[in-house]
Amino acid sequence: MDDMNGLLDLSINRYINKAQRQSRTFILNDTKKLGRPRTFDENEALMAAMNAFWTKGYAATSMKDLTAAMKISGPSIYAAFGDKRELYLKTIDRYADVDGCAPIVAFEGAASIEDAVRGFLTSVVSHSTQQEGAPRGCFLASCVATTVGEVEGVAERMEKAIQETDTRLAARFEKEKSHGNLPKDFPSQDRARLLHDMRQGHVHRSRAGWTAERLLDDLEDRVRMVLMI
């Protein structure tokens, strides 16, 4: 009887040891699948990638350029952002959501429509000439627009950015009309496109080296032009 109990205890111990080894193996394999925790700031990495694309252009920017700019390894870039095209599209989305929206936020938040137009153009100039560590101008106009038709997914993002900007600008004009601050026949959509086009003109001139002071020299004339009846 003692021998039987001893054999039973031995079998149980072997089963437990085997289960423990299998459990450890599963944990190790699962850890490998999960990978190491990210040790970089995703937003900062996207900004660095955007500046690399902006400086050299999409086609001329290599993975070596991106790893150097982002200060992370190639495998980490693929794990976090996908391949070069996917990373490029993510930088476009990030710019459109943050920097590209700053002038619109200023436009929507101003107390009066005059201050709204003034704030929009001032914000455009500021972002075109004073962004630390970034090329002058606008990422969408200076870089992204040149890859429409060449990089899948870019055309849709450019069209979305244009339509959303025009819509949000026109909505503020319509709001002012409803409050009696603009005439009922004020052409909101046309003036929204005009203001958007002024933005692109400022961007173009900033790329040519114009200073903020020079760009804002005729600011009041532009405000009156947008709001003229």
Side-chain angles (χ1 to χ4, degrees):
M1 191 68 174
D2 291 340
D3 290 341
M4 288 293 293
N5 288 336
L7 289 172
L8 182 59
D9 289 342
L10 182 60
S11 297
I12 292 173
N13 288 334
R14 285 177 177 173
Y15 177 82
I16 292 173
N17 290 335
K18 181 178 180 182
Q20 289 175 337
R21 287 196 301 271
Q22 289 177 336
S23 177
R24 284 196 296 270
T25 300
F26 173 78
I27 291 172
L28 287 171
N29 288 338
D30 195 48
T31 301
K32 289 178 180 178
K33 289 178 182 178
L34 291 174
R36 296 179 179 178
R38 292 180 186 174
T39 57
F40 60 89
D41 183 280
E42 186 171 318
N43 186 58
E44 290 181 0
L46 279 176
M47 283 292 292
M50 182 191 74
N51 288 338
F53 285 128
W54 195 344
T55 300
K56 301 189 70 172
Y58 175 78
T61 303
S62 66
M63 286 305 298
K64 184 177 180 180
D65 295 326
L66 292 169
T67 57
M70 300 168 75
K71 296 181 173 57
I72 57 179
S73 67
S76 293
I77 291 177
Y78 282 109
F81 305 108
D83 60 18
K84 176 182 170 181
R85 184 187 71 86
E86 292 172 317
L87 173 60
Y88 183 54
L89 296 180
K90 285 181 172 64
T91 65
I92 297 172
D93 293 338
R94 191 271 173 201
Y95 183 86
D97 289 342
V98 181
D99 294 333
C101 272
I104 305 173
V105 171
F107 182 76
E108 292 173 332
S112 69
I113 191 59
E114 291 82 8
D115 284 343
V117 176
R118 193 176 292 113
F120 178 88
L121 294 172
T122 300
S123 181
V124 168
V125 170
S126 176
H127 278 75
S128 297
T129 61
Q130 300 172 21
Q131 288 196 89
E132 187 175 347
R136 294 169 69 93
C138 168
F139 180 50
L140 297 181
S142 303
C143 176
V144 178
T146 66
T147 59
V148 171
E150 297 180 4
V151 180
E152 184 181 354
V154 170
E156 297 85 347
R157 282 168 169 78
M158 284 295 295
E159 180 63 24
K160 179 183 176 183
I162 293 169
Q163 292 297 332
E164 287 184 351
T165 297
D166 287 348
T167 298
R168 290 175 68 176
L169 294 176
R172 176 64 196 265
F173 289 133
E174 287 295 306
K175 178 182 177 181
E176 296 298 326
K177 287 167 66 174
S178 69
H179 290 168
N181 298 323
L182 287 174
K184 292 186 181 298
D185 60 349
F186 185 84
S188 299
Q189 193 64 47
D190 291 343
R191 298 303 168 82
R193 286 195 291 264
L194 173 62
L195 190 54
H196 194 169
D197 291 345
M198 284 184 179
R199 170 184 182 167
Q200 298 312 110
H202 280 323
V203 167
H204 181 68
R205 286 175 171 79
S206 72
R207 289 284 289 179
W210 284 38
T211 64
E213 291 75 16
R214 189 179 180 190
L215 287 168
L216 293 173
D217 185 58
D218 61 349
L219 175 63
E220 295 307 316
D221 289 336
R222 290 178 179 272
V223 172
R224 285 191 290 271
M225 187 185 304
V226 171
L227 298 177
M228 68 183 292
I229 308 305

